[in-house]
Amino acid sequence: MKRTVKLPLYLSVAALLSTPVLATEYHFGGFLKANARYVEGNIAFQDSWTGGGSVTESAKRSQFSAAESRFNFSAKQGDVRGFAEIDFAGSSQGNAVFSNSYSPRLRHAYIEYQGVTAGQTWSTMVNSSTFAETADLGGPLVGQTMVRQALVRYQTSHWQFALENPYTYGTTEQSSATEKQWIDPSNDYVPDAVIRYDQQGDWGNVSVSSLLRYLDPEDSAQFGAGVSVAAKLYTFGKDDLRLQLHYGNLGRYVGTDAARDIINGELETTRSAMVAYRHFWTDATRSSLFYGHTITEVEQTDRFHIGANIFTNLTPVLALGFELGRYQIDDQQSAYSLQSPAKGSSNYAQVSLQFYL
């Protein structure tokens, strides 16, 4: 829920001339989120599962946290709108010994004017309406597009055209099985280009996106391309089906560290999918069953996240959720490795209480 305050602003000169400018609307929103999380298995504990992770000795861990709490602010005057949002997830400042302090993290900061968006926000590849409702932050990220970055985008009723921040994520041809040589992104100078088509109606929405990239221009200088389809479809009553399908040289855009752009100088190809079904038991209580999976052809990563939950609204602005899930790494041996990769899995249970501001 957002709070709105309208304040008339007067420029000093306009005030002298007794001529007011347009009123500016301010909106404040976000949520407070309290988590209790338990993880058991041999993939190292994460506050929320990404497509990365390391296989370790089997362990059990519980953690209580409020770092996912989020605050946002927007202002609108005439055709101009600005939006900024922060949360505290992923902060390295926290000290569990006594203070549990967390640094603010910028999520969004952008300006909109007559169909043009400039600043940091969701990549044009991301259809956020297709994210599953989950207690684990972001849901099955291993199978989703999930990138926020600086961009310039032009949008019409159905089409979006964007130039986005370039960055080559991967390893050079000089890498060995025992030592990785990471690509230096200092010479990335050609913006990533995204073209997207949207269609929506009473049935839901669907988007088709294409990505064009010029990767590692200093060394291997390769062109990459990929395609993504995402949809949210209403089924029975208030139920909905959410899905994403991805294929191509998508690299860092899909799987949240499940795939790199280039591996040992070779362009990576990714196959990825996410599906979630949400069922409403009552107007206030609903459940989601979700699954995300990414497989890469060069590095031979194979990772998935599956889970189920139940949420209920205790009040219109207070939601309580419980979730069970499993994250698994089943990577295969690639041509660049001398030994088979470690495999593992972790199960988790999480309770979340979320107050929408």
Side-chain angles (χ1 to χ4, degrees), residues 122-139:
W122 291 118
S123 166
T124 310
M125 291 288 291
V126 176
N127 182 342
S128 59
S129 73
T130 65
F131 289 174
E133 182 180 23
T134 59
D136 185 86
L137 181 65

Side-chain angles (χ1 to χ4, degrees), residues 168 171-172 183-184 187-188 214-222 262 265:
T168 302
T171 55
T172 68
I183 291 172
D184 182 1
N187 288 281
D188 283 327
Y214 184 46
L215 297 163
D216 191 21
E218 183 184 32
D219 191 0
S220 58
Q222 303 184 61
I262 292 175

Side-chain angles (χ1 to χ4, degrees), residues 32-36 65-66 69 351-355:
L32 302 177
K33 186 179 181 184
N35 290 323
S65 175
S69 298
V351 177
S352 294
L353 186 65
Q354 197 159 340
F355 172 36

